[in-house]
Amino acid sequence: MEHVDRCVVLVDAGYLLGAAASLLAGEPARSRITVDHAALIQQLRERAEADTRLPLLRIYWFDGAPDRVPQPEHRRLRVMPRVTVRLGALTRSDGRWAQKGVDAAMHTELTELSRNRACSDIVLVTGDGDLLPGLMSAKEHGVAVHLWAVQAADGDYNQSEDLVAEADERSVLDRAWITRAVRAKDLTGLCAPPPAPRPEIAAILSAPLPESALAASAERAAAAAAAAAHNSASGPAAVPSADAGGPAERAGEPGGAGLPAPAGSRGVPTPKDLAGLRGPSSAPHPTGATLRWSSDKGWIDRPPAALGEPAETASLPTLAQLTSAEQRWADREEDITTVGGDPYEVGQVFARRWLDRLPEAGHVPKLATMYPRIPHRIDGELLRYAARFGLLAHKDDQIDEHDRYAIRAGFWREIDVHAAVQHAPAPEDARGTP
């Protein structure tokens, strides 16, 4: 059986993007670069067909992901023509991320393609010497192996010397080639446009993490128990009690999940402190109201009085209630092909869809009265949407709370833009009447 005259490209994404980051940003962290994956795939295809003088059968993209769950870039890649994504595990050991199973998957694919004579030429974009047995097996089956290297930042090899020695053809992807699809991030600014200055967002960002809130609640519960024991020995006295709902914090207590303690104070926030956290038209929170942030693990519907929400905002429709089956399909396509997965961007996309589908504009002023808190049901839906992009996942054994704040900031930014457009004067009004 003769080999089919076509080429296949096997890409070790960890090597390709890590080496590109070293070249462009000075360190191998992929977080330091921005990648145009569509342009990169097109470049790989054109380069492979030019180097081998054969049509492309397929590009295999090998990468690691936490629990092998596809990340936003993987979802975009796997719907591209002639691209197949293979995921290994991404684990953290001794403070560093490491891929597991990627080399084995590449070895298996390399061996199977050559044994089944699926192609006559294979392009390997990798530097790992563990692929040497697979490369030699491919050669024994009559396949020509092309090894591509990313230009090393220090001018030296960034590939296994044995791998380089065994390859039939070798080529270097230089800086000019890399920068057509990859660029270093400018870390002097944010990856997304910042929202208009609003002091309430700073208040949200200064709020303690949920773990801190739970710890603070446990400490107060222990102090209350100790005080109760002391008072029972010395005589009756009023003892503060914890909420019946468990670890959730009272609105007036410092360290709660919804409100931060005022700077320089460990006491109960004053009405002035609370007013700084609310929008200008917000009504005061009922005494003893429980403030909770929704989590990506689900939420519990409670009556508006228990949440400190006015009845009219608690009745705001969710995005799911406003979305038809056709819109849901279109949203999924947009998520896969367009939405990058940046937390701030995700909040904006969700808010834009919600605003576009609202049956009446009167819902937006209702929502504004809740600022900076998003109504409970909508907030839970927003965070579950963000979880599709791998956000809110466990990073360094802790939930990334900063992502939550960025998601909500993006949501409010889109609401602000929409409100500004609604209240902008018409051209006739702006010119005034003669």
Side-chain angles (χ1 to χ4, degrees), residues 212-300:
S212 303
L214 293 175
S217 178
E219 290 175 2
R220 280 193 293 275
H230 178 270
N231 290 332
S232 63
S234 59
V239 179
S241 60
D243 283 341
E249 304 298 306
R250 289 181 180 272
E253 293 178 350
L259 298 173
S265 170
R266 303 187 68 85
V268 177
T270 65
K272 182 178 179 181
D273 296 324
L274 294 176
L277 291 172
R278 295 194 296 268
S281 59
S282 167
H285 295 302
T287 303
T290 300
L291 297 179
R292 288 184 175 89
W293 288 113
S294 302
S295 76
D296 54 315
K297 296 182 179 179
W299 81 103
I300 300 173

Side-chain angles (χ1 to χ4, degrees), residues 300-317:
I300 300 173
D301 280 324
R302 287 181 169 81
L307 293 170
E309 288 185 22
E312 59 269 19
T313 58
S315 64
L316 288 173

